[in-house]
Amino acid sequence: MNTFGTLFTVTTWGESHGAGVGAVVDGCPPRLPIEAAEIQAELDRRRPGQSDIVTPRKEEDRVEILSGLFEGRTAGTPISMLVRNADQRPGAYDEMREKFRPSHADYTYQSKYGIRDHRGGGRSSARETVGRVAAGAIAKKILSLGGQAQHGTPVEIRAYLTQVHDIAAPAEALVAFPSLAEVEATAVRCPHLPTAQKMIERIKAVRSEGDSVGGIIECRVRGVPVGLGAPVFDRLEADLAKAMLSLPATKGFEFGSGFAGAQLRGSEHNDRFESREGRVRTVTNRSGGTQGGISNGEEIVFRVAFKPTATILRPQQTVDIHGAETELIGRGRHDPCVVPRAVPIVEAMVALVLVDHWMRQQAQCGSFRFE
Amino acid sequence: MNTFGTLFTVTTWGESHGAGVGAVVDGCPPRLPIEAAEIQAELDRRRPGQSDIVTPRKEEDRVEILSGLFEGRTAGTPISMLVRNADQRPGAYDEMREKFRPSHADYTYQSKYGIRDHRGGGRSSARETVGRVAAGAIAKKILSLGGQAQHGTPVEIRAYLTQVHDIAAPAEALVAFPSLAEVEATAVRCPHLPTAQKMIERIKAVRSEGDSVGGIIECRVRGVPVGLGAPVFDRLEADLAKAMLSLPATKGFEFGSGFAGAQLRGSEHNDRFESREGRVRTVTNRSGGTQGGISNGEEIVFRVAFKPTATILRPQQTVDIHGAETELIGRGRHDPCVVPRAVPIVEAMVALVLVDHWMRQQAQCGSFRFE
Amino acid sequence: MNTFGTLFTVTTWGESHGAGVGAVVDGCPPRLPIEAAEIQAELDRRRPGQSDIVTPRKEEDRVEILSGLFEGRTAGTPISMLVRNADQRPGAYDEMREKFRPSHADYTYQSKYGIRDHRGGGRSSARETVGRVAAGAIAKKILSLGGQAQHGTPVEIRAYLTQVHDIAAPAEALVAFPSLAEVEATAVRCPHLPTAQKMIERIKAVRSEGDSVGGIIECRVRGVPVGLGAPVFDRLEADLAKAMLSLPATKGFEFGSGFAGAQLRGSEHNDRFESREGRVRTVTNRSGGTQGGISNGEEIVFRVAFKPTATILRPQQTVDIHGAETELIGRGRHDPCVVPRAVPIVEAMVALVLVDHWMRQQAQCGSFRFE
Amino acid sequence: MNTFGTLFTVTTWGESHGAGVGAVVDGCPPRLPIEAAEIQAELDRRRPGQSDIVTPRKEEDRVEILSGLFEGRTAGTPISMLVRNADQRPGAYDEMREKFRPSHADYTYQSKYGIRDHRGGGRSSARETVGRVAAGAIAKKILSLGGQAQHGTPVEIRAYLTQVHDIAAPAEALVAFPSLAEVEATAVRCPHLPTAQKMIERIKAVRSEGDSVGGIIECRVRGVPVGLGAPVFDRLEADLAKAMLSLPATKGFEFGSGFAGAQLRGSEHNDRFESREGRVRTVTNRSGGTQGGISNGEEIVFRVAFKPTATILRPQQTVDIHGAETELIGRGRHDPCVVPRAVPIVEAMVALVLVDHWMRQQAQCGSFRFE
């Protein structure tokens, strides 16, 4: 359904071509200082039309905060946020009313619900993620201040592209935790500049052919306290996996060593413990920042695979709502590669997961202290 | 926490070396005919000591059903199942009381809870999955009969190994849906016999060196009705991803085309629709059986990566609970490769997800029919 | 928190004097025909300023549906509804910023959250119930059509006042199920006209003294299918009790025979079964429409006690946010008796509970049919 | 369903005449010192056969703790508790297999699930509450130590009878918070001795006539911290109302002034604030310990109405499972008045609600402290 989280929850709503999209954040800790501008900044990172490699759809995407703030701070009550839809082009989606677009959700929505807003994919549109990003901006602020207060350093979430199509950044180029500036330096959000250049060229080439490509996002988080995660089912990586696979176009998730880890021996894979900086640390981090589903204080590291955009500007064979075979003529605006715009969305989902687990941890293990 | 599911739920409990392990299944549809023997059969597939490549720990693992059945059928009330622990060796785990085993959950459990049952990993032991498998046996029966009733063919879930260490079954060997007999033919549960032989040899070789290896499980499901999955957050693949990453030792999940899909173009990746067998079908299945997070009636296909067992029979550097560096002398019983025994566990989790989503789908879209 | 329900959920948001109030309904069955006017009609019943016995606060309370509908029907996606706040009088609530109003939520909100929107009670204002009523209008429509489809007669929910202060309608006057017209005939919503007249006079008298009074609402539901309710914890009456006690100013709930039932003997209280109209019926209905927490097809009957409005136009001793004792000078607009306006709110909450349980019942007992 | 709570949860299972009954407590704070004997003590208070006014059913009701404890403390993992059923008399319930007992759950369970364990009411038996009491014993210990740690005094929950049939304790006799010894002094658990004597006589008289009676329990809690409760839906009194109405045989709930409060004026009902003992207190407590759904630090006070036991030793007209009218000959063991044995059950449910809300409060308002 449309609510995510246990204690810190976000409920998103809205269709691509309805009145708007939005989110309600509930369970937010009170007294957090936050301004609309901070939320707007994250929305601007997600917004279409930011560069020449993404969809030219023009959406101003101005967020209006309808509730839950009082004199610049959260009140502990639900925070309702609204973004009006602007760039609606009635008639532009008439073909979709009858025809199922391949590898889109048209057929399954129609089958499940017996009804479907065909305009721009309706609810299945990635436009739905506007609400997630708005909520994530609040979560990021909590993590930043919360980490600061707890151990003197903010929790920082950094996602970036490591691959587009078959162009991958060399592993050695991504050893250090990239700065936000490095990520935002190019429109593809790959912090390794030479790779970023090649990615941009590839995306432009593919777009000129009316085609699309996929890619891979890596995400790292530093400053996470030890102890987050609620085994056995709500392991931290399990909730992150769900968060990622809940995003449109995702096809894979790997945590720490991931699929490559399956090819190692235990003696190669195990993360040896040592005493460092006055606390227990691991020498390596193949575990990816959790053990037994609980954060161990090392960097959280995972990767997400995105398939190529299903919308392409080429004729495709398909079936219509009456079951008859037909041809779909792709046209209009589309992102030849959605992955760069997914970066702030990935970060938002991570922030939502971490705040929720931080609160869960505090509830179970911090409410009472038995000597 | 320890409950999984929204409507059809399972709550597992128990530590490796406590009185026992078990599960409570709630929300079960009433009047399902089921016998203890059917649950026992699945437990037997998971049980240690089945072959010479797994841990020799001897557990009879007899399930006792304490509630929820009446005259051979489910009553719609909670089904409580208990498996007593048998093979307990007091003193065998004394070293673990003080020392954190690398890449195990010892350190994180101690940090999170301030207390930890060190014997055999306590709650973090894979022995916890006994409860999942018992619950999954019930879910499997529901799916089998439910599919039969709805469209004349049972829903079938088949998991199997495609890789151990660097030994992988050739893709072309796994095109057809493998039979249960093919999977169970060898102790490694890889339906491609020549690969299975190599896997067994590799596991034996690694064991003789006191080391361990990981591997990959592929899982396919056929007979799933169209319409399962609850976007935007509870997409079917999102809940499957969470289910898989909630299992011990998992490091990755990929659905349909997975990470390889990120390297394709949209024109290569899209699954063209056609009219076949009187309904809408896709020609290819790179989507993996869902679109927009909702099942489309094609085979569900995904893969899960398992890291090598953390327990190895070699000395390892580590830290003790006082923060002092020390050496851990591995000894005792262990699985050099847990992946074959994970097969019934993967299947169980899939069954739990599918029954839950079937009920959710029925609730929202089948309770009322508005003309 | 601010979400109610398991499958059919409503999340409300908004403060009395913020930008607006609203609700997101999730899990709604698809293809329900519904118009904004149907929701507006329920909001109009709740609206202030309807008669001379309620607060003269002028709120037009126009609902805007932002999502979830497509061509006049629900799409199965979240339905977001917004009502802008209009009648805001900055400065009118300055006294509340510092002083805790007796028997209001000022002190507890301040203590819990460390922050509080003092204007008109902020989130604790009964204005929050706008979102409930809007959601309830959708639920009512589902029940009406759903009952019609299932057994040829709509599910009807009827709440009305039986008491204001010490003026109570005679029991014999309320034997028959009152029509909506009878309830709406007077501003106090008591279907017994002579009692209604006395209630109105009492409310006017009390208002002229700057005081307030409480009252009792009775609610009956007919057409409820047999089988709703999910023991052991989510008994139908348990969820109704929670729904009622979640409303501002409620102090009691009794179901069927209620507190008077505690004074009867078993031989007097038991509802004898008989065969009537081709099905199992009870001769009496002291049970109130459920047995063992599950609806038995008889009328659902319960009563809710409301305390007198805490806002009174008289000086009251209290304490300010610094802990100093002070006097509060009541002034401004207030409802001398909120109970009449609570009638549509009670009905809305009942509708939400019933739709949710209908869907839960269908999920568990209707998804699979085992012979 | 069969799980109660948001963070601190209890899942109960078991039928009256199956293998046993039990509970799984999840989310329990770690390191709580607790022994089986403490849980047993609460079970002994609930146990049948304690005195000559309750059912002579002999159940030893020995609890076995199967998981979640380690060396005398909770481990933060699920606590599974099992009580075997002992006093089973096969054949004693044969009549119930065919006939629906009036005002029991036989008919509704049969209708809802299409199957029913008729022996002793199966799941609908009050025997199910064994699991609640066991879980509540843990919650009570948490509250006791938690209150001690937070403000130097344990949270104390005290329930007792104020009425049986038409025999009520005088209000002035119950002004002071009764001690546990006063409550446990008689078999009816009414702390006012003269009333208790009359109650016992009445129960014996009614029993000799093969009849039964109901009654009222009052419950008070002192030491509750300010700030518990999660508006708007999960108000503290709303969750208490649900908890109480989830108990078998309950027909009403009133909080603070309750139904009598509906007859007061605002000027009479409002609880004036004052500064006392260095903090904000109310002079009176008609609110019952919450305002706006959040605890204000005053005593929590509520009352619960119980109907007379449905089982009576008299012939009653009823209907059988084929719809034919028939007569039911009551016989066997029964409680002529269940209310005294409900006292520890009421307390258990209150403890569960309070611990859950304490943890929720800590999660939202204690995890982060923004200056």
Side-chain angles (χ1 to χ4, degrees):
Chain A
M1 305 286 287
N2 299 282
T3 296
F4 186 81
T6 298
L7 295 178
F8 183 87
T9 65
V10 55
T11 301
T12 73
W13 56 266
E15 279 86 22
S16 175
H17 286 68
V21 292
V24 181
V25 171
D26 199 12
C28 187
R31 295 181 56 76
L32 173 77
I34 187 128
E35 293 173 29
E38 294 169 273
I39 295 163
Q40 189 63 51
E42 287 294 325
L43 288 177
D44 290 346
R45 290 180 74 206
R46 196 215 77 96
R47 193 157 47 86
Q50 306 162 70
S51 77
D52 58 351
I53 60 161
V54 294
T55 174
R57 173 170 172 156
K58 286 286 178 302
E59 293 278 8
E60 209 185 344
D61 281 357
R62 302 305 302 177
V63 66
E64 181 185 6
I65 303 175
L66 297 166
S67 69
L69 292 197
F70 182 67
E71 301 182 344
R73 287 174 180 268
T74 57
T77 58
I79 303 165
S80 179
M81 295 177 286
L82 163 64
V83 173
R84 296 270 176 189
N85 288 335
D87 186 16
Q88 298 178 23
R89 299 173 306 160
Y93 297 96
D94 283 354
E95 193 184 11
M96 292 184 191
R97 181 186 280 273
E98 292 279 315
K99 298 178 184 175
F100 297 132
R101 291 169 300 159
S103 287
H104 272 280
D106 302 341
Y107 167 65
T108 51
Y109 268 65
Q110 183 71 44
S111 299
K112 180 182 184 71
Y113 300 114
I115 186 173
R116 152 181 74 102
D117 184 345
H118 63 281
R119 299 166 302 167
R123 181 69 181 151
S124 73
S125 163
R127 184 151 180 77
E128 172 271 326
T129 59
V130 163
R132 308 190 190 207
V133 170
I138 298 171
K140 278 185 169 183
K141 185 80 184 280
I142 294 171
L143 291 171
S144 179
L145 296 183
Q148 201 77 259
Q150 203 208 44
H151 45 258
T153 153
V155 177
E156 282 180 282
I157 302 167
R158 190 81 72 244
Y160 46 84
L161 269 74
T162 62
Q163 187 165 334
V164 162
H165 204 190
D166 60 354
I167 300 166
E172 61 275 16
L174 298 172
V175 172
F177 194 92
S179 70
L180 181 59
E182 287 172 304
V183 173
E184 299 293 304
T186 65
V188 283
R189 294 190 167 118
C190 170
H192 186 243
L193 215 59
T195 307
Q197 296 301 356
K198 284 186 215 150
M199 288 172 168
I200 291 172
E201 281 158 37
R202 176 64 54 85
I203 292 171
K204 288 184 178 172
V206 159
R207 184 182 52 185
S208 72
E209 299 166 36
D211 214 338
S212 65
V213 281
I216 295 176
I217 286 179
E218 181 166 270
C219 182
R220 290 154 75 172
V221 194
R222 63 181 177 189
V224 177
V226 182
L228 306 198
V232 293
F233 294 112
D234 305 337
R235 289 165 186 252
L236 194 58
E237 60 266 43
D239 278 352
L240 288 169
K242 169 162 179 163
M244 293 306 125
L245 269 292
S246 80
L247 292 174
T250 52
K251 301 306 290 181
F253 172 86
E254 56 177 14
F255 196 80
S257 64
F259 279 87
Q263 301 208 28
L264 297 178
R265 287 164 172 254
S267 57
E268 297 164 324
H269 192 279
N270 282 356
D271 291 320
R272 193 152 63 76
F273 284 115
E274 64 179 359
S275 224
R276 202 165 82 229
E277 299 152 17
R279 60 188 185 89
V280 176
R281 299 290 306 272
T282 62
V283 177
T284 49
N285 186 22
R286 289 182 199 97
S287 297
T290 71
Q291 279 155 345
I294 298 166
S295 63
N296 64 358
E298 304 299 324
E299 258 185 37
I300 304 273
V301 188
F302 64 86
R303 280 162 300 282
V304 187
F306 291 79
K307 67 169 187 174
T309 318
T311 301
I312 53 174
L313 303 188
R314 293 175 173 200
Q316 294 180 88
Q317 289 303 307
T318 190
V319 166
D320 68 19
I321 56 172
H322 312 292
E325 304 202 342
T326 180
E327 194 181 68
L328 184 86
I329 317 292
R331 87 191 117 206
R333 309 164 304 187
H334 84 298
D335 269 305
C337 182
V338 294
V339 195
R341 284 179 56 209
V343 163
I345 307 171
V346 164
E347 291 178 358
M349 292 308 295
V350 172
L352 295 174
V353 169
L354 290 177
V355 169
D356 194 41
H357 272 284
W358 193 317
M359 288 167 63
R360 294 174 70 174
Q361 161 68 359
Q362 186 66 13
Q364 187 181 10
C365 302
S367 297
F368 305 95
R369 301 271 178 189
F370 304 113
E371 297 313 313
Chain B
M1 305 286 289
N2 299 280
T3 296
F4 186 81
T6 298
L7 295 178
F8 183 87
T9 65
V10 55
T11 301
T12 73
W13 56 266
E15 280 86 22
S16 176
H17 286 68
V21 291
V24 180
V25 172
D26 199 10
C28 187
R31 296 181 55 76
L32 174 78
I34 187 127
E35 293 173 30
E38 294 169 273
I39 296 163
Q40 190 63 51
E42 287 293 325
L43 289 176
D44 290 347
R45 291 180 73 205
R46 196 216 77 96
R47 194 158 46 85
Q50 308 162 69
S51 77
D52 58 350
I53 60 161
V54 295
T55 173
R57 173 171 172 155
K58 285 286 177 303
E59 293 278 8
E60 209 186 343
D61 280 358
R62 302 303 304 176
V63 66
E64 182 186 4
I65 302 176
L66 297 166
S67 69
L69 292 197
F70 182 68
E71 300 182 345
R73 288 175 181 265
T74 57
T77 57
I79 304 166
S80 178
M81 296 178 285
L82 163 64
V83 173
R84 295 270 177 190
N85 288 336
D87 185 16
Q88 298 179 23
R89 300 173 306 160
Y93 297 97
D94 283 355
E95 193 185 12
M96 290 184 193
R97 183 187 280 272
E98 293 277 314
K99 297 178 184 175
F100 298 131
R101 292 169 298 160
S103 288
H104 272 281
D106 301 343
Y107 167 63
T108 51
Y109 268 66
Q110 183 71 44
S111 300
K112 179 180 184 73
Y113 300 113
I115 186 173
R116 155 180 72 102
D117 184 345
H118 64 280
R119 301 166 301 166
R123 180 69 182 151
S124 74
S125 163
R127 186 152 178 77
E128 171 270 327
T129 59
V130 163
R132 307 190 191 207
V133 170
I138 297 170
K140 278 185 171 184
K141 185 79 183 279
I142 294 171
L143 291 171
S144 179
L145 296 184
Q148 202 76 259
Q150 204 208 40
H151 45 258
T153 154
V155 176
E156 281 180 283
I157 303 167
R158 190 81 71 243
Y160 46 84
L161 271 72
T162 60
Q163 187 166 333
V164 162
H165 203 191
D166 60 354
I167 299 167
E172 61 275 17
L174 298 171
V175 171
F177 195 91
S179 71
L180 181 58
E182 287 171 305
V183 172
E184 298 294 304
T186 66
V188 283
R189 294 190 168 118
C190 171
H192 186 244
L193 216 60
T195 307
Q197 295 301 354
K198 285 186 213 151
M199 288 172 168
I200 292 171
E201 281 158 37
R202 175 63 53 86
I203 292 171
K204 288 183 177 171
V206 159
R207 184 181 55 185
S208 72
E209 298 166 36
D211 214 338
S212 64
V213 281
I216 296 174
I217 287 179
E218 182 166 271
C219 183
R220 288 154 77 172
V221 194
R222 63 180 177 191
V224 177
V226 183
L228 306 196
V232 295
F233 293 112
D234 305 336
R235 290 166 185 251
L236 194 59
E237 61 265 42
D239 278 353
L240 288 169
K242 170 163 179 163
M244 293 306 125
L245 268 293
S246 81
L247 293 173
T250 51
K251 301 305 289 180
F253 172 86
E254 55 177 13
F255 196 80
S257 63
F259 278 88
Q263 302 207 26
L264 296 179
R265 286 164 174 253
S267 55
E268 298 164 323
H269 192 281
N270 282 357
D271 290 319
R272 194 151 62 79
F273 285 114
E274 64 178 359
S275 224
R276 203 164 82 230
E277 299 151 18
R279 59 188 186 88
V280 176
R281 299 290 306 273
T282 62
V283 177
T284 49
N285 184 23
R286 291 182 198 97
S287 297
T290 70
Q291 279 155 343
I294 299 167
S295 63
N296 64 358
E298 304 300 323
E299 259 186 37
I300 303 273
V301 188
F302 64 86
R303 280 162 300 281
V304 187
F306 290 80
K307 67 169 187 173
T309 319
T311 301
I312 55 175
L313 303 188
R314 294 175 172 201
Q316 296 180 88
Q317 291 302 307
T318 190
V319 166
D320 68 19
I321 57 172
H322 312 292
E325 303 201 345
T326 181
E327 194 182 69
L328 184 86
I329 317 291
R331 90 193 114 207
R333 310 163 303 189
H334 85 297
D335 270 306
C337 182
V338 294
V339 194
R341 284 180 57 209
V343 163
I345 307 171
V346 164
E347 292 178 358
M349 293 306 296
V350 172
L352 295 174
V353 169
L354 290 178
V355 169
D356 194 40
H357 272 284
W358 193 317
M359 288 168 64
R360 294 174 71 175
Q361 161 68 358
Q362 187 64 15
Q364 187 181 8
C365 302
S367 296
F368 305 95
R369 301 269 177 192
F370 304 113
E371 296 316 312
Chain C
M1 305 285 287
N2 300 281
T3 296
F4 186 81
T6 298
L7 294 179
F8 184 87
T9 65
V10 55
T11 301
T12 73
W13 56 266
E15 280 85 22
S16 176
H17 287 68
V21 291
V24 180
V25 172
D26 198 11
C28 187
R31 296 182 54 78
L32 173 77
I34 188 127
E35 292 173 30
E38 294 169 273
I39 295 163
Q40 190 63 51
E42 286 295 324
L43 288 177
D44 290 347
R45 291 180 73 205
R46 196 215 77 96
R47 194 158 45 87
Q50 308 162 68
S51 77
D52 58 350
I53 61 162
V54 295
T55 173
R57 173 171 172 155
K58 287 286 178 301
E59 293 277 8
E60 208 186 343
D61 280 359
R62 302 304 302 176
V63 66
E64 182 186 6
I65 304 175
L66 297 166
S67 69
L69 292 197
F70 181 67
E71 300 182 345
R73 288 175 181 267
T74 57
T77 58
I79 303 166
S80 179
M81 294 177 287
L82 162 64
V83 172
R84 295 270 175 190
N85 287 335
D87 186 16
Q88 298 179 24
R89 300 173 305 161
Y93 297 96
D94 283 355
E95 193 184 13
M96 292 183 191
R97 182 187 281 272
E98 293 278 315
K99 298 178 183 175
F100 297 132
R101 291 169 299 159
S103 288
H104 272 281
D106 301 342
Y107 168 63
T108 51
Y109 268 66
Q110 183 71 45
S111 299
K112 180 182 184 73
Y113 300 114
I115 186 174
R116 153 181 73 101
D117 184 345
H118 64 281
R119 299 165 303 167
R123 180 69 182 151
S124 73
S125 163
R127 186 152 179 76
E128 171 271 326
T129 59
V130 163
R132 307 190 191 208
V133 170
I138 297 171
K140 279 185 169 183
K141 185 79 184 280
I142 294 171
L143 291 171
S144 179
L145 296 184
Q148 202 76 260
Q150 205 208 42
H151 45 257
T153 154
V155 177
E156 281 180 284
I157 303 167
R158 190 81 71 245
Y160 45 84
L161 270 73
T162 61
Q163 187 166 334
V164 163
H165 204 191
D166 60 354
I167 299 166
E172 61 276 17
L174 298 172
V175 172
F177 194 92
S179 70
L180 180 59
E182 288 173 303
V183 173
E184 299 292 306
T186 66
V188 282
R189 294 191 166 118
C190 171
H192 185 243
L193 215 60
T195 307
Q197 297 300 356
K198 285 186 214 151
M199 288 172 168
I200 292 172
E201 281 157 36
R202 177 63 53 87
I203 292 171
K204 288 183 177 172
V206 159
R207 184 182 52 184
S208 72
E209 298 166 36
D211 214 339
S212 64
V213 281
I216 296 176
I217 286 178
E218 181 166 88
C219 183
R220 290 154 75 173
V221 194
R222 64 181 176 190
V224 177
V226 183
L228 306 197
V232 294
F233 293 112
D234 305 336
R235 289 165 186 253
L236 195 58
E237 61 266 43
D239 278 353
L240 287 169
K242 170 163 178 163
M244 292 307 124
L245 269 292
S246 80
L247 292 174
T250 52
K251 300 306 288 182
F253 172 86
E254 56 177 13
F255 196 79
S257 63
F259 279 87
Q263 302 208 28
L264 296 179
R265 286 164 173 254
S267 56
E268 298 164 322
H269 193 280
N270 281 357
D271 291 319
R272 193 152 62 78
F273 284 114
E274 65 179 357
S275 225
R276 202 164 82 230
E277 299 151 16
R279 59 189 185 90
V280 176
R281 300 288 307 271
T282 63
V283 177
T284 49
N285 186 22
R286 291 182 199 96
S287 297
T290 70
Q291 278 155 344
I294 298 167
S295 62
N296 64 357
E298 304 299 324
E299 258 185 38
I300 304 274
V301 189
F302 64 85
R303 280 162 300 282
V304 187
F306 290 80
K307 66 168 188 174
T309 319
T311 301
I312 54 175
L313 303 187
R314 294 174 172 201
Q316 294 180 88
Q317 290 303 306
T318 190
V319 166
D320 68 18
I321 56 173
H322 313 292
E325 304 201 342
T326 182
E327 194 181 68
L328 183 85
I329 318 292
R331 90 190 112 206
R333 309 164 302 188
H334 84 298
D335 269 305
C337 181
V338 295
V339 195
R341 285 179 56 208
V343 162
I345 307 172
V346 163
E347 292 179 357
M349 292 307 295
V350 173
L352 294 175
V353 169
L354 291 178
V355 169
D356 195 39
H357 272 285
W358 193 318
M359 287 168 64
R360 293 174 70 175
Q361 161 67 0
Q362 186 66 13
Q364 188 181 8
C365 301
S367 296
F368 305 96
R369 301 269 177 190
F370 304 114
E371 296 315 311
Chain D
M1 306 286 289
N2 300 281
T3 296
F4 186 82
T6 298
L7 294 179
F8 184 86
T9 66
V10 55
T11 302
T12 74
W13 55 266
E15 279 86 23
S16 176
H17 286 67
V21 291
V24 180
V25 172
D26 199 11
C28 187
R31 296 182 55 77
L32 174 77
I34 187 125
E35 292 173 29
E38 294 168 272
I39 295 163
Q40 190 62 52
E42 286 294 325
L43 289 177
D44 290 347
R45 292 180 72 205
R46 195 215 78 95
R47 195 159 44 86
Q50 307 162 71
S51 79
D52 58 350
I53 60 161
V54 294
T55 174
R57 173 170 172 155
K58 286 287 178 302
E59 293 277 8
E60 209 185 343
D61 280 358
R62 303 304 303 176
V63 66
E64 182 186 6
I65 302 175
L66 297 166
S67 69
L69 292 196
F70 181 68
E71 300 182 344
R73 288 175 181 266
T74 57
T77 58
I79 303 166
S80 179
M81 295 178 287
L82 163 63
V83 173
R84 295 270 177 191
N85 288 336
D87 186 15
Q88 298 179 21
R89 300 174 305 160
Y93 297 97
D94 283 355
E95 194 185 12
M96 290 182 193
R97 181 188 281 274
E98 293 279 314
K99 298 178 184 174
F100 297 132
R101 293 170 298 161
S103 288
H104 271 282
D106 301 341
Y107 168 64
T108 50
Y109 267 66
Q110 184 70 44
S111 299
K112 181 181 183 72
Y113 301 114
I115 186 173
R116 152 181 74 102
D117 184 346
H118 64 280
R119 300 166 302 167
R123 181 68 182 151
S124 73
S125 164
R127 185 150 179 77
E128 171 270 328
T129 58
V130 163
R132 306 190 191 207
V133 170
I138 297 170
K140 278 186 170 183
K141 185 79 185 281
I142 294 171
L143 291 171
S144 179
L145 296 184
Q148 202 77 259
Q150 204 208 40
H151 45 256
T153 155
V155 177
E156 281 181 283
I157 302 167
R158 191 81 71 245
Y160 46 84
L161 270 72
T162 61
Q163 187 166 334
V164 163
H165 204 190
D166 59 354
I167 299 166
E172 59 276 17
L174 298 171
V175 171
F177 194 91
S179 71
L180 181 59
E182 287 172 303
V183 172
E184 299 293 305
T186 66
V188 283
R189 295 192 166 116
C190 170
H192 185 242
L193 215 59
T195 307
Q197 295 302 355
K198 284 186 216 152
M199 287 172 170
I200 291 171
E201 281 157 37
R202 176 63 54 87
I203 292 171
K204 287 183 177 171
V206 159
R207 184 181 52 185
S208 71
E209 298 166 36
D211 214 338
S212 65
V213 280
I216 295 175
I217 286 179
E218 182 166 271
C219 183
R220 289 154 75 171
V221 194
R222 64 180 176 191
V224 176
V226 183
L228 305 197
V232 295
F233 294 112
D234 305 336
R235 288 166 186 252
L236 194 58
E237 61 266 41
D239 278 353
L240 288 168
K242 169 163 179 163
M244 292 307 125
L245 269 293
S246 81
L247 292 173
T250 52
K251 300 305 289 180
F253 172 86
E254 55 177 14
F255 195 80
S257 63
F259 278 87
Q263 302 208 28
L264 296 179
R265 287 164 173 254
S267 56
E268 298 164 323
H269 192 281
N270 281 357
D271 291 319
R272 193 150 64 77
F273 285 114
E274 64 179 359
S275 224
R276 202 164 82 230
E277 300 150 18
R279 59 187 185 89
V280 176
R281 298 289 307 271
T282 63
V283 178
T284 49
N285 185 22
R286 291 182 198 96
S287 297
T290 69
Q291 278 155 345
I294 299 167
S295 63
N296 64 358
E298 304 300 323
E299 258 186 37
I300 303 275
V301 188
F302 64 85
R303 282 162 300 282
V304 188
F306 290 80
K307 67 168 187 173
T309 319
T311 301
I312 55 176
L313 303 188
R314 295 176 171 199
Q316 296 181 88
Q317 291 304 307
T318 191
V319 167
D320 69 18
I321 57 172
H322 312 293
E325 304 203 342
T326 181
E327 194 182 68
L328 183 86
I329 318 293
R331 87 192 116 207
R333 310 163 303 188
H334 85 298
D335 270 307
C337 182
V338 294
V339 195
R341 284 179 57 210
V343 163
I345 307 171
V346 163
E347 291 178 358
M349 291 307 295
V350 173
L352 295 175
V353 169
L354 290 178
V355 169
D356 195 40
H357 272 284
W358 193 318
M359 288 167 64
R360 292 174 71 174
Q361 161 67 359
Q362 186 66 14
Q364 188 182 8
C365 302
S367 297
F368 304 95
R369 301 271 177 190
F370 304 113
E371 297 315 313

